[in-house]
Every structure is written in C-alpha cells, then in structure tokens.
Amino acid sequence: MALLNLIASRRVRLLALAAVATLLLMNSSLFSNGYRRQFEQEPPVYLPTTSHADVNMREVSSAAAAAVAASAGLHTLRDQLAYVFPYNAESMIPRSVWQTWKTSPSDPQFPANYKHCHKKWTSACKDAGYSYNMLTDSDAMALLESVYAETPLVIKAYKLLPTAILRADFFRYLILFARGGIYSDMDTRPLKALGKWSSVEEKYLAHIAELSTEAYIPYKDINRNRMPAKASVKEPGLVIGIEADPDRDDWDDWYARRIQFCQWTIQAKPGHPALRELILNITATTLHSVPGPLRDSDDNSNLFDTAHSDDYNVNRRAKRGSDPLYKHNEAKVKKNVDGTDIMNWTGPGIFSDIIFEYLTNTLQHNNDIVLLNTDLQTPTAQNEDLTKSIKRFYKTINAALQTSGTVAWEFFAFLRNPVLVDDVMVLPITSFSPGVGQMEAKGTDDPMAFVEHMFSGSWKDEADGNKPAENAPKVNGGIPPVPA
C-alpha cells in the first residue's frame, strides 16, 4: 500500500512539474512575442536625402548627441551615424592605410601586377610609422558587421548591393568614416613619403594657417568678425583629389561629371560629415533600388522622403534622368547593373555630387568658413595662359559665391595647388593622377604627385557587358585620347 501511495505521489509531482514547465514556456513565448511586437512598433529609421536637406550638415554631430542625451531617440540614419561615429575636427588624421582585395597577397590568386604596389605601400607605411591594413573580402565583411552593428540598415544595404565593385566602392567610404586614415585602391602606388603629403606636412599646414587669417575668399553672408584672427595649425578632415577636369566639348562621353573627384585614393578623419552624407545616400539608394520588402512596400513614407523620391533612384541620375525611353522604375539586379549605374550609385559621379552638395551646404549654413584657392587669388603672371587658368572662370565663381553661397565646379578648374573649403582639402589632378598626359596633369616626379594610379579598371568592361552594344559608353571613367 505504501508503495502505491509513493508511486501516486511521484505521479502527482511529475504532473505538477509538467504543468509548471508548460506555463513557463507559454509565458516565455508570450513575453517573446510581446517583446517582438514592441520592437516592431518602434518608429522606422528614416532615410533623409542630402540633396534636399534643410540641416547644417557640419553640425549634425552635436545635435544628434544632444537628442540622445534628451532621450529624444535617433530615428534618422543621419543622426544615428553622427552619434555612433562622432567627428572631432581638432584631431589628427589617423596614421593608417587601408586596402582590400578578393584574396590576400600570399594567395596564389592574388594578381602578380599588384604585388609590386602592395610592397610599395607596406614599405611606405613602415618608413612613416603608419599602420598598414590589407583586408580580403571576407575580412571586410566581418569588420563592417562589427563596426556598424549599431546601424544595421547600412549593413543591410552593403549586403544587398548586387555587384562586387559596388561593395568595393562602398567599403572605402565605410572604413574611412569609421576608422579614418588613407584608403587607396590596390592598383596604386605611393610616390612620396606619407608624411610629406600637403595634408599632414607641418610646414605647408603652417602656411595654410597663415593664409586662413589673411587671404580667405569672401562669400554670401560671411561674417568677417568671426573669421580667425590667428588660425590654428590643424590637419584637414577630408582630403580628395581631382580625377578629371576635361576642358573639352565631349567631356560627358568620358566622365560622369565636368569636375570629377577621385575616389581611388582618399584621406580622412573618422566621422567626417561629408562621408556620412555619402553613406546615407548609398544606403538609401540601395534600399530603394534593389528588390526587397523595403522597396516593395505599399507605403514607404516613414522610410523615404516621398516628396523627393528621385533622390533615391539611381535610374534618374545624370543623363538617364531625362531619357524618356529608359526604365526609370526598374529594380536593380546584377544582370542589369552597368558602368553608368556604378558611376552614379557608389562611384565618382555620386561621390562628386555629394562633395559639392556638402560644400555648398556648409557655406549656406555657416558664416565663418575659410575658403582658400591660391590659383585664383595670386596675380596673373605675364606669360600665364588664361585659357588654361582658373582665372578664366573668375566672374562665374565670384557670382556663385556672392549671390547664393554656392561652390561652383569652376572653383576647382585647372588646379595647380591645394584648395581648402573649411576642412576639406582638394588636391590638383597631379596629386593622384600624375602622368596621364592631359588635363594639365604633371609627371610622377612633380612635387605635388603623391600617388600613381595604374588604371586597371577591368570592372568597367565587365559592367558594360550588361548594356546593349548600341548604348554602351566609350569608357566613362577612363582616360580618353588627347584631343587633336
């Protein structure tokens, strides 16, 4: 009898434990679902445009930090990026170099013609005390997933990009925004010691600081009382070069923009707001252009600025925007991405656009911006050829600056020396494209020649294979023949 009572007692206990376990599982499921619903009810991350931004892009970082401190939340990707990667204009440019390729230099698949370039960069870094970072595609993905964990839309966009060259372009902006330093394509080699670049050479920076107090160019709404009486010697926050300045009637057969900035070599401090705007644009363009739930949603008004939807549409950029026969609403997949898409999605076309928009926004929202262009400001030499001089555009430049506070493309024409707009330094074409034999570029032995680009550019032929032959561009980003 005692044995039967013991068995019954154990059975009751087991039934009770099973009931408790079931309740716990049910509560866990209910909690999980409740948590998920709460997460899903959070406001979506809004993707504002750069082209129609009514904010002071230079000052977003402090505004974002204040919003977080006040628990207002960060519901735009611009604010999220500014908060996660704050910008310190007073800091030094990180002494580091970043490069990436499909495989490591020790892999048999690593291109033989890049090994010399790799050796040059590692040697230059060692001599200057810079860190050298060579990442394979898998390394790059792992690093970005870690660094951009707090901005998941950026990682989502990176993974959705339909071609390797789009991801390679995006990577360079992402790594410089997060870590800073120099990014340079694998088919480049340094020509000067890294410490001798205009952006970091102490003697040249001291010269720039002196000019900043005496020879700055005025623009609309400038407050001369706010200009520095004694400028501090500090390194620029973003350093870019001219890729193309084609003073020829057929320039748009060869290049995406009349003045086109180079993005095979870029130097930056982490968190620079111009790079933030570029990352915002590429993320928004990708999520709007690539098939997926964000593009295909019936209501994207909480994600995109529907009043300016063309800002997100790569099919509407440059000449394609005015082509009535082009499929402007077509989603982008690997088989229909061509060279023109690359230029205007992640390449030098959109890079140049965002730089110009950022510079103009900076002038229009701040009254203490230093503008320096010694090519424009120095007296005309007796034997100077004005047809190949920026002074040919003096009236156009002055009208744009004084009337609307706009940085016109002419401000960077025929550059021989670095130009400064606030903390963005623009180097002449000789700096990153020496020896091309045109567009006033000097040779590789010129004092302003810092990096030589080998123009391997194999991606262009592959990408343009997606275009009908009758519509294919000539090169659209390479070096055209010198006009007769």
Side-chain angles (χ1 to χ4, degrees):
M1 189 71 177
L3 179 60
L4 292 174
N5 288 336
L6 179 61
I7 291 172
S9 175
R10 286 180 177 176
R11 182 179 297 169
V12 169
R13 286 199 297 271
L14 287 171
L15 289 172
L17 287 171
V20 169
T22 301
L23 286 172
L24 286 173
L25 286 171
M26 289 177 63
N27 286 337
S28 174
S29 177
L30 288 171
F31 173 78
S32 176
N33 289 336
Y35 179 79
R36 189 180 297 113
R37 284 195 299 272
Q38 181 183 18
F39 178 80
E40 289 171 350
Q41 290 170 0
E42 285 291 315
V45 178
Y46 185 63
L47 298 165
T49 80
T50 296
S51 300
H52 293 88
D54 189 25
V55 296
N56 185 346
M57 295 175 189
R58 191 180 73 155
E59 302 301 328
V60 167
S61 294
S62 57
V68 172
S71 299
L74 290 173
H75 299 309
T76 77
L77 184 57
R78 175 182 286 126
D79 285 344
Q80 283 190 347
L81 289 168
Y83 180 68
V84 176
F85 303 100
Y87 179 55
N88 180 6
E90 303 300 320
S91 66
M92 294 175 64
I93 301 172
R95 271 35 179 181
S96 58
V97 169
W98 300 90
Q99 293 190 296
T100 183
W101 189 249
K102 302 170 189 176
T103 59
S104 69
S106 60
D107 192 293
Q109 298 299 317
F110 190 79
N113 56 325
Y114 290 173
K115 290 183 178 180
H116 173 73
C117 298
H118 173 255
K119 184 177 180 181
K120 285 287 187 180
W121 278 109
T122 55
S123 177
C125 286
K126 182 179 179 180
D127 292 343
Y130 281 44
S131 67
Y132 178 76
N133 306 276
M134 170 70 198
L135 302 177
T136 64
D137 287 353
S138 58
D139 293 336
M141 184 72 261
L143 178 60
L144 293 180
E145 285 184 317
S146 172
V147 172
Y148 283 88
E150 295 178 83
T151 54
L153 279 184
V154 173
I155 295 300
K156 184 177 183 66
Y158 183 83
K159 291 180 177 180
L160 282 174
L161 286 167
T163 70
I165 183 59
L166 292 170
R167 290 189 294 275
D169 279 344
F170 200 15
F171 172 80
R172 70 195 65 195
Y173 313 134
L174 291 171
I175 196 63
L176 287 179
F177 184 68
R179 293 290 184 258
I182 296 170
Y183 168 86
S184 199
D185 277 357
M186 205 66 250
D187 60 342
T188 65
R189 66 185 183 98
L191 298 172
K192 297 284 191 302
L194 302 182
K196 295 297 183 181
W197 291 23
S198 302
S199 52
V200 296
E201 207 275 320
E202 290 185 7
K203 185 176 180 181
Y204 185 77
L205 291 176
H207 171 64
I208 288 290
E210 183 178 349
L211 290 177
S212 298
T213 63
E214 300 174 358
Y216 55 83
I217 299 172
Y219 62 93
K220 184 184 179 184
D221 297 330
I222 187 173
N223 185 340
R224 295 175 187 270
N225 294 326
R226 292 196 61 189
M227 303 305 287
K230 183 180 171 81
S232 60
V233 179
K234 64 179 181 180
E235 297 172 1
L238 179 65
V239 184
I240 58 178
I242 299 291
E243 175 184 359
D245 181 7
D247 185 31
R248 48 193 291 169
D249 293 338
D250 65 343
W251 68 265
D252 59 349
D253 286 338
W254 301 96
Y255 299 100
R257 302 296 183 270
R258 172 59 181 82
I259 285 287
Q260 188 165 295
F261 296 121
C262 156
Q263 38 90 267
W264 59 70
T265 301
I266 309 170
Q267 187 177 35
K269 296 176 183 177
H272 195 278
L275 291 177
R276 180 196 67 226
E277 294 302 313
L278 185 62
I279 291 167
L280 171 61
N281 182 286
I282 294 171
T283 300
T285 299
T286 303
L287 298 178
H288 187 272
S289 301
V290 174
L294 296 179
R295 170 186 166 85
D296 300 333
S297 172
D298 292 333
D299 181 16
N300 278 327
S301 60
N302 290 328
L303 187 66
F304 303 108
D305 181 356
T306 54
H308 302 106
S309 59
D310 284 355
D311 289 359
Y312 306 91
N313 190 346
V314 70
N315 293 325
R316 290 280 185 184
R317 291 179 184 165
K319 291 188 290 186
R320 282 185 175 170
S322 58
D323 181 359
L325 300 179
Y326 196 80
K327 298 177 181 179
H328 295 122
N329 295 322
E330 184 178 43
K332 287 298 179 186
V333 293
K334 185 174 183 178
K335 67 179 182 181
N336 68 3
V337 171
D338 59 34
T340 298
D341 292 317
I342 294 167
M343 284 284 170
N344 293 296
W345 191 340
T346 59
I350 191 61
F351 181 63
S352 301
D353 288 349
I354 295 297
I355 295 297
F356 274 110
E357 289 178 3
Y358 174 76
L359 296 180
T360 290
N361 177 278
T362 299
L363 288 193
Q364 293 178 347
H365 285 83
N366 302 277
N367 58 13
D368 59 348
I369 301 301
V370 172
L371 281 173
L372 293 175
N373 187 330
T374 55
D375 291 350
L376 185 66
Q377 293 168 278
T378 53
T380 303
Q382 187 174 1
N383 60 346
E384 186 173 355
D385 181 4
L386 291 181
T387 65
K388 296 295 182 181
S389 168
I390 190 175
K391 292 167 189 173
R392 163 180 151 195
F393 302 115
Y394 178 84
K395 290 183 179 179
T396 302
I397 294 169
N398 188 59
L401 289 173
Q402 298 291 350
T403 303
S404 59
T406 301
V407 182
W409 66 260
E410 290 90 346
F411 192 74
F412 303 104
F414 303 117
L415 289 190
R416 298 183 180 90
N417 296 288
V419 163
L420 199 66
V421 182
D422 193 31
D423 72 341
V424 177
M425 179 178 283
V426 180
L427 301 174
I429 193 170
T430 299
S431 294
F432 297 151
S433 298
V436 296
Q438 56 181 294
M439 295 182 287
E440 304 306 300
K442 304 297 188 291
T444 55
D445 58 347
D446 189 85
M448 287 302 301
F450 302 137
V451 172
E452 184 178 18
H453 187 218
M454 306 307 179
F455 293 100
S456 62
S458 60
W459 64 267
K460 297 183 184 71
D461 296 331
E462 179 182 344
D464 283 332
N466 291 332
K467 266 192 168 185
E470 66 271 15
N471 295 324
K474 296 175 183 175
V475 179
N476 199 12
I479 298 297
V482 178

